[in-house]
Structures are given as C-alpha cells and as structure tokens.
Amino acid sequence: MIVEIILLLVSIVIYMFAPGVYSYDYCVLTFVVFLVSSLWVIRKRSNGNYFNFHVLFLISYFFVNFVYPVFLFPVDKYYFPVFNYDFNENLISKSTALAMLGSSAYTLGAAMLRIKSDYTFEANYRPMQFARFTGILKLLTYAFFGLFLAFVGRDFFSGIFNSGTSSSNYFLIGFQSLVALTVTVVCYTGYYRSSEKITFWKFVGQFDKVFLGFMFLFILLFFFIGDRGPALQVFLILVTLYAVYVKKVKLKVFLLGASLGMFLMLFISSARVTRTSGFNDSNSIGGFLERGSSNMKFNSIFDLGMDLTMNNRNLYVAVDYADKNGINYGKTMITQVVGIVPGLQPVVLSVLGMTEDEMSSGRIINKLTIGDDATWGVGTNLIGDIYLSFGVLGVVAFMLFFGYIHTRFQQKMLYSQDINYVIAYVISMSFAIYYPRASYFSAFRNILWPIILLAIIRFMTYKRQRTTTKLIFHEDISYQ
C-alpha cells in the first residue's frame, strides 16, 4: 500500500500547483500519474482475469477525463460538437488534475483490502437454496417487460431513441433489476450444482430456450432504437458471470473484444433515430444499417470513445459552477440515494426547497449548457458530481471509498458464497463503463433493489414453509 500512498501524495502536490490556464505539459504530467496508478491497480487486482471492474472503470475513466485535454484540445478543441458549447478553458488543467487526484484516491482505496481467500460468515449460506426461486424470478421478469412495452408508447417501436414515458421508465428499472437478479441466481446456483468444470455450452445450457430467446430479443430491440445502456448492462452481466464461473478473460481476448464492442457502440449510436434526424421513413433493420453506415465517421481511434469523451466538458462546467457558487453539501446527490424508495424524491425536494433543475449535477450542467427548454441531455461527470457536493476533499474521500467498496465486492464475490456480494459485484460490473460519466450513486438503486427483492422472496418462502410445517405437525397431533 506504500506505492498507492505515494501516488496519492504526489497527486495532491500536483493538484495544489495547478495553473490557472491550459497547460499541455501539465495535463500530460497528470495523465502519466493516472496511467501509473491505473496500471498498478490492474496488475495487482486482475489475477489473470482482465474482465473485471477496475479494468472497465479505468478505461472509461481515461476516455471521460484525459483524452480531450491531452490528445484532442491541442489539435482540434472542437473535434466533438459538444465542445462548441461555451466553457471555461482556463479550468482544463485544474479539472484534469482533479480527475488524476480522484483516480489516485481510487487506487489507494482498492489497495486497502488485503487479498485473501479465508472469508467466513456467521450465517450458513447454502447456494442451492436459491435454485427454487428461478421460476418466480423469470415470471416477474417477463411481467415487468410486458408492462414496460404496454406503457412505452408507439414511438419506441418505431426505433425512436429516448421515446419512453415516465411510467415505462419506472417499469424498465424494475425489469433491469429483475433480469440482473434472475441471470445471477441461475449462474450462481449452476456453478455450485455442477460437479465438473463448466464449459461455454454448459454455461449457456443453464438457461432455458425461452429465457435465452427473450434476452436475445431484448438486446436486439434496445440496440435497434439506439438505447445501448439496458442492452449493454445485460450483456456485461452475462460476460462477468462467464469470466467468474467459467473461464478467465485473458488480456489479448479482452483487448480484441473491447475494440469490437466500442466499434459496435459507435455504429449503434450513429444509427439512432430522432424526431429530427430525417430518417423516420426507414425505421426498419435496413434503415438501421443505412443510418449507421451513413452517419458513422471514423477519423481516429478516439472516435470509438466519443460518447465517453464528450462528458469531459461536464467536468469543466461542474468545477466552474462550484467555484463560483460554492459546494452544496450533498444536495445534488441525495435524490439518487432516496430514489431507492419510489415517490420519495418529490418529498425530499419539497423539504429541501429545491427545484427539479437543482436536484442533480446532470440537470444543473444541462441547464447551463442548453438552457431551460432543453429536449436532450449532455449527462454529467463522476468527479464533477462529487466536486459540486463536497469539493476537492470530497473527491478524495468519495473516490477512496469507491475503490474500497468495489474491491470488497470483487473479493467477497470470488472467495465467499454470499449471493448478496455476487449480486452487488455483477451489477457494479454492468455500470463500470457508465460510472465515470454518471453521478456517484447512479447504481445505488440498481444494486439494492435486487438484494431487497431476493430477501423478500426468501422471507416469504421461509414463512410459508414454517406455516406448512406447523399445519402438518398439528394434523399429526390431532390424528394421534
């Protein structure tokens, strides 16, 4: 842990001397420190499996925070259209150093847990007890997806991106939680049920044909409309479970798969249909392919990370806003936390005297960028989200905990039979790419809902079993 502490101290010193204007040499220096800390934690925590949280998160973090100031701004600062919107270029150096400081804190947090395989639990975790829940979980998954389709509206089926309603979004979140829980429970119990090594086909064979077809159609449907998030999350969950329970993903395989995946994501983004895109008359598979090939531009390797790099501007806007208006002590974070309870967000906003435009860093950044009448969003930035709430000390503290908790998820998942940690890690993996461009607690609800749901199902099953046992016992006594 000495190396991680030194890297954090170096990062603090570098941040303290951040220039008040853009400096290419300074940004390169911060990037070098980020690169060293990232490679260090990946080497220590990958254990031969490069499909893990640290790798996905730090690659995404690189595109979100370092590609623009180091590789694009000196050459073409308007390379991506979003950078045409005004922002304070003098804050690029400071903001990049802040991102470097966050990554160094993350590395130290990851190093705080000693690698060990001797976890013990007071409770008696019997993996096979969860196998009986797969039937009800599949039914609930089908039901929530049906409700989502019932409320989403006609535009969705025409392939129009971001065309859902508030009701359909609610059912989509429930569906995402259910499908993540169902897939995890099936693979978790299948691993402990098998008496021999699991192969790829045995891994696939754990799912019945109906559920496999259902997941395949779900992924295709969301790719078709350009909403890659839900489909990508399901795919990442499946690959994570495969890498954990079947075969480790080697570096060469990971690099090849990541490159192909990023190319596919760029194509799908280019093929999106909007109400002003001019392609609404060809909302078919052929039209999808036509739009993708016509709209996709590939001038450099950095185009592959376009949707990530564009969020770098959000960091500059967030830092500028916080420096001018002061930090808000968690007001823009709290709605993500209370969002675990449906309907609680409006109550909290009312109590705090906040408007919807102030409820999150993303809304503040969006309003500053596009204005009050925005019909689309520019997103947010993980470091910017923390900085808005708690400043530079918050970035260090929150990223330290971020590295610690996700390493804990990873270790507990690998070396224990506790399904709650398996769920937490698997869902965190599905957010690993999204995290750097999102708010800090963006996955909070998605992690807790499946764990709570499984606890409810276990409790109800246990209660019913106890009731049945009492009835049988009573009948036996009466008979005697």
Side-chain angles (χ1 to χ4, degrees), residues 146-267:
L147 289 168
F148 165 74
L149 294 179
F151 283 89
V152 75
R154 292 182 59 185
D155 285 346
F156 179 85
F157 298 100
S158 298
I160 296 179
F161 174 65
N162 201 22
S163 59
T165 64
S166 57
S167 298
S168 66
N169 290 334
Y170 174 81
F171 288 116
L172 178 60
I173 294 171
F175 166 77
Q176 288 176 282
S177 299
L178 281 163
V179 74
L181 179 58
T182 304
V183 170
T184 302
V185 169
V186 169
C187 295
Y188 173 82
T189 55
Y191 174 76
Y192 287 102
R193 180 190 292 120
S194 179
S195 58
E196 55 186 19
K197 184 177 180 180
I198 301 177
T199 63
F200 172 79
W201 293 113
K202 285 185 178 179
F203 176 80
V204 175
Q206 296 176 111
F207 304 97
D208 60 73
K209 294 180 180 179
V210 174
F211 193 74
L212 275 176
F214 169 75
M215 287 193 294
F216 180 71
L217 290 175
F218 165 78
I219 291 173
L220 284 183
L221 177 62
F222 275 84
F223 277 169
F224 174 64
I225 68 163
D227 191 355
R228 298 155 298 170
L232 183 60
Q233 285 178 355
V234 172
F235 178 77
L236 289 175
I237 287 171
L238 289 170
V239 178
T240 299
L241 291 165
Y242 177 84
V244 170
Y245 293 131
V246 182
K247 187 178 181 180
K248 295 179 179 180
V249 178
K250 302 301 181 182
L251 182 59
K252 290 182 180 179
V253 176
F254 172 80
L255 292 175
L256 177 61
S259 300
L260 292 175
M262 293 178 73
F263 184 85
L264 177 62
M265 293 301 105
L266 178 62
F267 182 88

Side-chain angles (χ1 to χ4, degrees), residues 83-104:
F83 291 98
N84 284 290
Y85 288 99
D86 186 49
F87 66 94
N88 189 350
E89 296 179 1
N90 292 328
L91 289 175
I92 293 179
S93 296
K94 175 185 175 180
S95 301
T96 307
L98 187 67
M100 169 206 61
L101 185 58
S103 66
S104 296

Side-chain angles (χ1 to χ4, degrees), residues 182-378:
T182 304
V183 170
T184 302
V185 169
V186 169
C187 295
Y188 173 82
T189 55
Y191 174 76
Y192 287 102
R193 180 190 292 120
S194 179
S195 58
E196 55 186 19
K197 184 177 180 180
I198 301 177
T199 63
F200 172 79
W201 293 113
K202 285 185 178 179
F203 176 80
V204 175
Q206 296 176 111
F207 304 97
D208 60 73
K209 294 180 180 179
V210 174
F211 193 74
L212 275 176
F214 169 75
M215 287 193 294
F216 180 71
L217 290 175
F218 165 78
I219 291 173
L220 284 183
L221 177 62
F222 275 84
F223 277 169
F224 174 64
I225 68 163
D227 191 355
R228 298 155 298 170
L232 183 60
Q233 285 178 355
V234 172
F235 178 77
L236 289 175
I237 287 171
L238 289 170
V239 178
T240 299
L241 291 165
Y242 177 84
V244 170
Y245 293 131
V246 182
K247 187 178 181 180
K248 295 179 179 180
V249 178
K250 302 301 181 182
L251 182 59
K252 290 182 180 179
V253 176
F254 172 80
L255 292 175
L256 177 61
S259 300
L260 292 175
M262 293 178 73
F263 184 85
L264 177 62
M265 293 301 105
L266 178 62
F267 182 88
I268 293 171
S269 177
S270 303
R272 285 175 176 171
V273 172
T274 66
R275 292 175 175 83
T276 58
S277 65
F279 287 96
N280 292 335
D281 294 332
S282 57
N283 296 330
S284 61
I285 299 298
F288 175 84
L289 297 175
E290 176 193 346
R291 291 190 301 273
S293 58
S294 299
N295 293 344
M296 190 173 73
K297 297 178 181 179
F298 190 76
N299 299 316
S300 75
I301 191 173
F302 299 114
D303 287 332
L304 294 176
M306 176 184 66
D307 285 348
L308 299 173
T309 302
M310 290 192 301
N311 290 78
N312 202 158
R313 180 189 171 279
N314 297 334
L315 174 60
Y316 311 144
V317 175
V319 170
D320 193 23
Y321 183 85
D323 288 348
K324 291 178 179 177
N325 299 280
I327 59 178
N328 60 54
Y329 297 99
K331 282 188 176 181
T332 50
M333 283 185 169
I334 195 170
T335 53
Q336 291 279 352
V337 177
V338 301
I340 186 176
V341 181
L344 189 57
Q345 283 186 353
V347 176
V348 172
L349 288 176
S350 177
V351 171
L352 296 177
M354 296 172 61
T355 65
E356 288 191 358
D357 288 336
E358 301 171 314
M359 67 183 294
S360 69
S361 59
R363 286 178 179 264
I364 291 175
I365 293 169
N366 216 57
K367 185 175 181 179
L368 292 171
T369 301
I370 307 174
D372 295 326
D373 301 324
T375 58
W376 56 284
V378 295

Side-chain angles (χ1 to χ4, degrees), residues 34 53-65 99 106 307-309 311-312 314-315 379-386 399 402 428 431-440 442:
F34 162 76
F53 183 87
H54 302 297
V55 173
L56 294 183
F57 173 75
L58 290 170
I59 288 177
S60 177
Y61 197 91
F62 159 70
F63 278 99
V64 170
N65 295 299
Y106 171 87
D307 285 348
L308 299 173
T309 302
N311 290 78
N312 202 158
N314 297 334
L315 174 60
T380 185
N381 179 287
L382 176 65
I383 300 300
D385 182 64
I386 302 171
M399 290 305 293
F402 194 82
S428 293
F431 276 84
I433 297 173
Y434 181 69
Y435 260 132
R437 53 172 290 191
S439 57
Y440 189 82
S442 57

